């Protein structure tokens, strides 16, 4: 793939050339990452379920983001394109997956200790006398 861009008359516009070169370098980096991950699809069935989910989510987000970039380069407004809804759906799925992963990090509840706390919190020492503590009067005659 030839990545040498010919700018022609636009070569005098330094801002445009710099942005194009930055985009080119970023796309090269994305290509390197995808080149490393795409061969993993051959071993997909041997991977654990969490690894499969993370790989699927990463590839979905990466490819849809590249489509978003392609639309922007072509001059199409991606905010009115269905790709926007797809990216939002993927982000929501990623958030749900993060919640599932974080469940393991949550503290667990000791049921027996909780019962003891509730029982002692509900204990009323004046229940047997049926007189609240502020209604006990002592008359000294």
């Amino acid at each position: 793939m030839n990545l040498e861009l010919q700018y022609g008359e636009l070569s005098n516009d330094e801002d445009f050339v710099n942005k194009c070169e930055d985009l080119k370098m970023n796309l090269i980096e994305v290509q390197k990452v995808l080149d490393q991950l795409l061969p993993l699809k051959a071993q997909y069935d041997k991977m654990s379920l969490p690894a499969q989910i993370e790989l699927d989510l990463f590839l979905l987000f990466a490819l849809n983001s590249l489509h978003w970039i392609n639309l922007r380069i072509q001059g199409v407004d991606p905010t009115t394109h269905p790709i926007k809804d797809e990216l939002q759906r993927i982000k929501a799925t990623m958030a749900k997956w993060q919640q599932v992963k974080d469940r393991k990090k949550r503290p667990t509840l000791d049921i027996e200790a909780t019962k003891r706390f509730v029982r002692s919190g509900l204990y009323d020492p004046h229940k047997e006398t049926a007189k609240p503590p502020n209604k006990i009067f002592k008359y000294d005659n």
Side-chain angles (χ1 to χ4, degrees):
M1 174 166 45
N2 184 10
L3 296 176
E4 294 300 319
L5 301 175
Q6 303 298 323
Y7 297 107
E9 293 177 11
L10 293 173
S11 62
N12 296 332
D13 187 358
E14 289 182 28
D15 187 43
F16 175 76
V17 171
N18 289 336
K19 286 182 180 180
C20 287
E21 290 298 319
D22 288 343
L23 176 64
K24 180 176 80 171
M25 297 310 289
N26 289 335
L27 289 175
I28 289 171
E29 288 180 37
V30 169
Q31 183 178 4
K32 288 178 185 176
V33 170
L34 290 176
D35 287 343
Q36 292 174 354
L37 289 178
L38 288 176
L40 292 177
K41 286 301 238 184
Q43 303 165 354
Y44 185 78
D45 293 333
K46 297 175 186 172
M47 297 170 74
S48 66
L49 183 61
Q52 288 178 349
I53 291 171
E54 289 185 12
L55 179 63
D56 287 342
L57 287 174
F58 177 79
L59 290 175
L60 273 172
F61 189 77
L63 295 176
N64 280 293
S65 296
L66 288 172
H67 185 60
W68 176 285
I69 292 168
N70 184 36
L71 290 172
R72 290 290 306 248
I73 289 172
Q74 291 178 1
V76 177
D77 183 16
T79 59
T80 60
H81 193 274
I83 194 68
K84 178 183 176 188
D85 298 329
E86 184 65 18
L87 280 169
Q88 288 176 344
R89 187 182 71 81
I90 294 168
K91 285 180 183 179
T93 305
M94 290 172 108
K96 287 180 188 176
W97 174 242
Q98 189 63 43
Q99 288 175 351
V100 169
K101 287 191 333 185
D102 289 343
R103 281 186 192 155
K104 294 177 183 175
K105 297 177 186 174
R106 284 191 221 163
T108 57
L109 184 65
D110 184 359
I111 301 295
E112 293 304 315
T114 305
K115 287 179 183 178
R116 289 192 302 269
F117 276 117
V118 170
R119 196 174 324 126
S120 67
L122 295 176
Y123 176 70
D124 185 8
H126 300 289
K127 185 175 182 181
E128 294 174 7
T129 61
K131 294 181 184 174
N134 61 351
K135 300 292 183 184
I136 298 174
F137 296 105
K138 292 185 179 181
Y139 292 103
D140 291 330
N141 289 8

